[in-house]
Amino acid sequence: MVAPECAPVAQAGGLGDVVFGLSRELEIRGNAVEIILPKYDQMRYDRIWGLKLDYQDLWVPWYSAAIHCSVYFGFVNGRKCFFIEPHSRDNFFHRPGTYGYADDAMRFAFFSKAALEFMLKSNKRPDVIHCHDWQTGLVPVLLFEIYKYHGMHNQRVCFTIHNFRHQGPSGAELLWATGLGRPEHYFHYDRLRDNFNHSLLNLTKAGIVYSNVVTTVSPHHAWEALNTDQNFGLGHTLWVHRGKFSGVLNGVDYDVWNPEIDGFIPRRYNVDSLNLKYDNKRALRERFWMRDGFKPIVAYIGRLDMQKGVHLVRHALFYSLGNGAQFILLGPSPEPSINGYFWHLKHYLNDNPDCHLELRFDSELAHLVYAGADMLIVPSNYEPCGLVQMIALKYGTVPIVRAVGGLVDTVFDRDYCSRPHEERNGYVFDNADYSGIESALRRALGLWHSYPEEFRRLMVNGMHCDYSWNWPGQHYLNIYEYIRHK
Ligand code: GLC
């Protein structure tokens, strides 16, 4: 794996969970997996076991010179991880944040180059190099244009796109820095040139064009990427390469997210002891100073940004409060205007005993919210896979989701789905507007209040779903086998 994130040491979003969870599953199935990451300054070093210098003097060619790097090795919850630390004035990874810098494309182009140089020099010849998102889009380009001729001719690349919105735009300097050169060759519509801005290179496109196989994180999102505007301008590229493109649903790590063994909740439970869930509901209310009473708790967990449908989150909050429910929100809001708005809302609702807003990322607290809430809303504008709805199902918390991306592949509407009744596990709405989310929320709250036995059936159906890494792990192994012999 060559990746910009791995949970829990370096994580900005779901990508980090996937890199960790998939690697673990592949190892359980008897494969050797190593993960190459940048050595960020602000990693959770307390979660790395036995960190030590592994490769002292790695010289990575960069422009007409080379940058001196050290490579560290350490275990992250049992996974073997290598961390690349460049020593140069560019300070690629000695920064307070992971992303969001003007030179992001150069930072990760360097990382991609360094990852290959490390494999070459330390004689690592994996059958498959699995890359994730634009940060590593240059890996297959460098492999098949340069490193292949230096002894890495048997390696194959699988490229997984977690989010089409970020594509790593960059200029020609990237070609000179990485040793690719030949702008006339790479600034070509069939290769790295951005489909719309002809003066830019596009690193997600690079990954699609050069990899042996390309996946995104759910079957429905693969369809959306090919047929709607959810590919953010890469539709034609995907269409050209559709023969090697598909969707593989992510899994959830049930060692971490499982109410039966969860160490972060006061009362553990499973499908046979579902009543114990309500001890967690009480604990959740106490934790947030909310009042006890005969009301369901509707929760939202996740980042607050445009992708996640913030206007509908706000609407669901007021709709719940006005219709006999309580509301809890847990998540950071990185964008200043949205952040300002939600802090205003938090102060405004401060004395309301039926709701609580916790505006930060806190995964330990998330366990308690999943365990204590009755319903979870996911009103995303687009959602390549989404992990929160799968976690909610495991905790018997009924998901209410918009019909996009991976949400379509995992949540099946109680009233309108064509599947058998025992497979229906939540509520789904189509339109990203107020009446859309209201229609689903009204049905969910109505069932909770009027038909508690039926509501419980929905909870049980959800808990019976298997969204572990078991299937996706096998699916990726099939893909690896297929490209290995091509
Ligand atoms: C991105 C997507 C999300 C997906 C995650 C892991 O964060 O936005 O839908 O679940 O990657 O693949």
Side-chain angles (χ1 to χ4, degrees):
M1 299 276 165
V2 181
E5 299 178 25
C6 179
V9 281
Q11 190 171 16
L15 191 159
D17 290 309
V18 171
V19 169
F20 178 85
L22 175 58
S23 303
R24 178 175 177 280
E25 181 69 27
L26 294 171
E27 286 210 304
I28 290 174
R29 287 163 177 273
N31 303 280
V33 183
E34 295 177 339
I35 307 173
I36 303 182
L37 298 152
K39 188 164 178 293
Y40 300 105
D41 243 11
Q42 82 314 358
M43 279 195 301
R44 288 287 301 265
Y45 284 94
D46 59 321
R47 306 296 294 270
I48 308 175
W49 190 83
L51 188 67
K52 65 168 179 38
L53 191 61
D54 179 79
Y55 196 103
Q56 193 142 26
D57 295 311
L58 180 73
W59 289 91
V60 179
W62 195 243
Y63 287 104
S64 50
I67 291 180
H68 182 213
C69 297
S70 309
V71 184
Y72 289 79
F73 173 83
F75 288 98
V76 174
N77 282 344
R79 306 285 75 70
K80 301 181 190 73
C81 295
F82 292 91
F83 302 95
I84 298 183
E85 178 181 56
H87 309 288
S88 91
R89 270 175 300 159
D90 302 295
N91 258 344
F92 286 130
F93 305 114
H94 294 293
R95 305 188 189 190
T98 314
Y99 312 126
Y101 299 97
D103 61 342
D104 274 358
M106 287 303 251
R107 296 169 67 217
F108 288 98
F110 178 80
F111 169 62
S112 302
K113 175 97 186 170
L116 280 162
E117 193 66 27
F118 174 56
M119 285 186 245
L120 181 72
K121 293 288 167 57
S122 58
N123 284 319
K124 292 187 188 302
R125 298 290 185 272
D127 296 306
V128 174
I129 304 174
H130 195 152
C131 301
H132 300 266
D133 267 359
W134 68 267
Q135 294 89 332
T136 57
L138 217 51
V139 169
V141 185
L142 292 164
L143 176 67
F144 294 120
E145 295 277 5
I146 298 178
Y147 286 84
K148 182 174 139 182
Y149 304 103
H150 291 91
M152 295 185 69
H153 37 76
N154 283 325
Q155 279 55 55
R156 298 289 178 269
V157 179
C158 173
F159 182 60
T160 295
I161 302 167
H162 298 256
N163 200 327
F164 277 95
R165 201 174 99 193
H166 308 288
Q167 303 181 354
S170 50
E173 67 279 8
L174 181 139
L175 298 175
W176 300 119
T178 54
L180 288 166
R182 294 197 290 162
E184 68 292 345
H185 181 70
Y186 294 106
F187 268 98
H188 188 286
Y189 184 79
D190 292 345
R191 297 193 184 85
L192 271 58
R193 193 182 80 190
D194 188 81
N195 290 352
F196 293 95
N197 188 332
H198 292 181
S199 60
L200 292 179
L201 300 167
N202 181 317
L203 294 182
T204 302
K205 179 169 173 179
I208 297 172
V209 172
Y210 275 85
S211 297
N212 301 95
V213 76
V214 182
T215 70
T216 187
V217 289
S218 70
H220 190 69
H221 192 57
W223 180 88
E224 288 169 340
L226 279 170
N227 298 291
T228 74
D229 59 4
Q230 287 197 32
N231 48 55
F232 294 90
L234 287 171
H236 187 249
T237 308
L238 285 174
W239 191 252
V240 170
H241 294 277
R242 65 187 178 282
K244 63 178 185 186
F245 175 63
S246 67
V248 181
L249 191 69
N250 285 334
V252 168
D253 190 343
Y254 285 158
D255 278 351
V256 178
W257 301 107
N258 182 352
E260 229 169 334
I261 53 167
D262 193 324
F264 296 111
I265 58 176
R267 181 76 81 181
R268 299 178 193 166
Y269 61 98
N270 61 25
V271 89
D272 300 318
S273 57
L274 203 44
N275 279 337
L276 299 178
K277 179 173 166 69
Y278 299 105
D279 291 344
N280 296 305
K281 184 170 177 176
R282 261 188 296 281
L284 179 61
R285 281 174 168 154
E286 268 170 37
R287 167 87 192 233
F288 289 148
W289 298 90
M290 287 162 63
R291 75 169 147 211
D292 220 353
F294 185 66
K295 284 184 176 184
I297 298 180
V298 180
Y300 173 84
I301 300 178
R303 233 180 322 117
L304 290 159
D305 67 18
M306 281 337 268
Q307 172 186 346
K308 302 292 179 183
V310 269
H311 64 301
L312 297 183
V313 174
R314 185 205 53 196
H315 189 74
L317 187 162
F318 286 109
Y319 186 85
S320 303
L321 296 182
N323 289 276
Q326 298 184 311
F327 196 93
I328 288 176
L329 186 157
L330 171 66
S333 51
E335 285 166 44
S337 63
I338 296 177
N339 189 41
Y341 177 78
F342 276 92
W343 273 100
H344 169 80
L345 207 57
K346 183 177 166 67
H347 290 139
Y348 172 68
L349 293 165
N350 194 34
D351 296 328
N352 189 320
D354 283 328
C355 86
H356 183 85
L357 279 65
E358 189 74 23
L359 298 174
R360 63 196 175 91
F361 175 76
D362 183 334
S363 82
E364 288 167 19
L365 197 51
H367 287 257
L368 181 61
V369 180
Y370 284 116
D374 297 283
M375 305 162 197
L376 181 102
I377 55 159
V378 195
S380 305
N381 281 320
Y382 73 95
E383 195 63 78
C385 179
L387 300 170
V388 293
Q389 81 281 12
M390 298 196 269
I391 299 174
L393 288 168
K394 186 75 181 167
Y395 283 76
T397 304
V398 173
I400 300 167
V401 308
R402 182 155 175 255
V404 282
L407 301 168
V408 171
D409 294 310
T410 49
V411 181
F412 309 108
D413 192 278
R414 174 178 182 274
D415 303 317
Y416 297 118
C417 173
S418 56
R419 294 189 168 230
H421 274 282
E422 60 279 10
E423 289 180 21
R424 304 185 189 181
N425 56 13
Y427 290 93
V428 182
F429 62 97
D430 282 311
N431 295 340
D433 55 23
Y434 293 166
S435 54
I437 192 161
E438 274 183 26
S439 74
L441 209 45
R442 185 184 309 117
R443 290 186 290 132
L445 296 177
L447 195 75
W448 190 92
H449 276 287
S450 310
Y451 301 94
E453 282 310 311
E454 287 291 308
F455 191 85
R456 183 176 278 244
R457 270 213 358 218
L458 219 46
M459 297 165 65
V460 169
N461 289 352
M463 294 177 88
H464 281 141
C465 295
D466 178 6
Y467 293 124
S468 66
W469 275 104
N470 191 19
W471 291 110
Q474 186 56 50
H475 200 145
Y476 274 112
L477 280 175
N478 294 347
I479 288 176
Y480 299 159
E481 272 306 307
Y482 173 70
I483 54 177
R484 227 154 66 91
H485 298 294
K486 261 194 17 162

